[in-house]
Amino acid sequence: MKLPELKIGNLVAKIPIIQGGMAIRISTAPLAAAVGEAGGIGLIAASGMSFDELRKEIRLARSLTSTGIIGINAMVAAREFAGLVKTAIEEGIDLVVAGAGFSRDMFGLGKESGTPIVPIVSSAKLAKISESLGASAVIVEGKEAGGHLGTDQPLHSLLPSIKNAVKIPVIGAGGIISGQDIVDTLRLGADGVQMGTRFAASEESNAAPALKEFYLKAKHEDIVLINSPVGLPGRALKNPFAEKIIGSTAPVPESCDGCLKHCARNFCIIKALIRAQQGDVETGLVFTGEYIHKIDEILPVKEIFNRLLAEVEVIN
């Protein structure tokens, strides 16, 4: 089988793979640029970054690839969401992906600049609203995804109805690891796929070596769901900190930066994600997809693409 191109607005990715935007600082410029250079769409995870840091990351990504498509992913739940989107647009970002909530305002920002806005949705209703507001595409994320989840339904049950509900491109996400997964998702009607966990476990990922080792050791039974302070469930790997969240014994923050629009303040998710990114797999929160156990090697992005394409090629 040969993979189709993925068209979003005026953008054309030669390979229909979007790399998921993984915060905090897991997917930064080197990873996004490597994916763009390989023919996919690379995303910088903007959540938790200052505006200046985001500018530097976008400029660095641009310096690392001359032709690659580079976007950002930002959490709508973040208080600085609009500012991050505006900053990225000012820097000439190719597209904006928005998850962990929904914002009508972002579509106006996209229209003004001609920047494609791509929300992450989990229902046909929200996909149709997105299309009516000007979305250039939607990412349909099933329960298999890592991080914040908007549904308890698997991707294969969500995607066909959403594809039938809209005319814009539909990208499938959640639990996609292999070439077979890509083909299966395209055969459901998707125009492309988003893959996060596979690229978190890449050489160009900004995860600390200790975190990458933690990924490789993960077993299927290590996957847990936690209640995030943003008001959504989150898929993570079991460790002492996740067990404290589940048992409602996680330390309550002594001070609060007010980084989220709405926060239960049962623990500080930003600091917990940063600890994990820096390699603290005991007291950090390790977000991951449902099928992390299928990954047994840390590979360069180029090799990941080569293997995926080889797997796809032999499928009839």
Side-chain angles (χ1 to χ4, degrees), residues 75-87:
M75 290 198 313
V76 177
R79 192 171 296 281
E80 297 292 357
F81 170 75
L84 292 168
V85 172
K86 288 174 185 174
T87 299

Side-chain angles (χ1 to χ4, degrees), residues 146-282:
H148 291 110
L149 303 173
T151 182
D152 59 2
Q153 298 297 306
L155 178 62
H156 67 79
S157 68
L158 289 172
L159 201 146
S161 62
I162 293 176
K163 178 63 179 176
N164 289 334
V166 295
K167 294 184 173 62
I168 54 177
V170 173
I171 294 112
I176 299 169
I177 301 289
S178 67
Q180 185 67 59
D181 296 334
I182 294 171
V183 171
D184 290 346
T185 306
L186 295 179
R187 285 177 174 167
L188 283 174
D191 299 282
V193 300
Q194 177 175 279
M195 302 174 69
T197 300
R198 173 62 273 194
F199 291 113
S202 69
E203 286 188 4
E204 291 87 347
S205 158
N206 197 38
L211 178 53
K212 292 181 185 180
E213 284 300 313
F214 196 62
Y215 290 150
L216 294 185
K217 291 175 183 174
K219 299 180 175 64
H220 186 61
E221 56 267 29
D222 295 331
I223 300 292
V224 295
L225 286 180
I226 59 101
N227 288 319
S228 167
V230 308
L232 293 168
R235 185 178 302 287
L237 279 175
K238 183 166 63 177
N239 67 357
F241 189 73
E243 290 177 333
K244 286 181 180 178
I245 298 171
I246 293 166
S248 301
T249 60
V252 176
E254 293 179 11
S255 61
C256 179
D257 297 331
C259 62
L260 299 173
K261 293 170 186 171
H262 304 286
C263 182
R265 299 191 182 183
N266 52 322
F267 68 95
C268 180
I269 189 168
I270 299 295
K271 290 176 182 173
L273 290 169
I274 289 171
R275 290 195 296 272
Q277 181 269 329
Q278 293 175 346
D280 181 350
V281 297
E282 295 290 311

Side-chain angles (χ1 to χ4, degrees), residues 73-117:
N73 172 291
M75 290 198 313
V76 177
R79 192 171 296 281
E80 297 292 357
F81 170 75
L84 292 168
V85 172
K86 288 174 185 174
T87 299
I89 288 173
E90 286 168 7
E91 285 297 316
I93 202 72
D94 292 322
L95 78 163
V96 172
V97 174
F102 188 79
S103 164
R104 292 173 178 264
D105 298 336
M106 63 184 173
F107 298 102
L109 297 173
K111 283 176 185 173
E112 287 173 17
S113 60
T115 308
I117 304 293

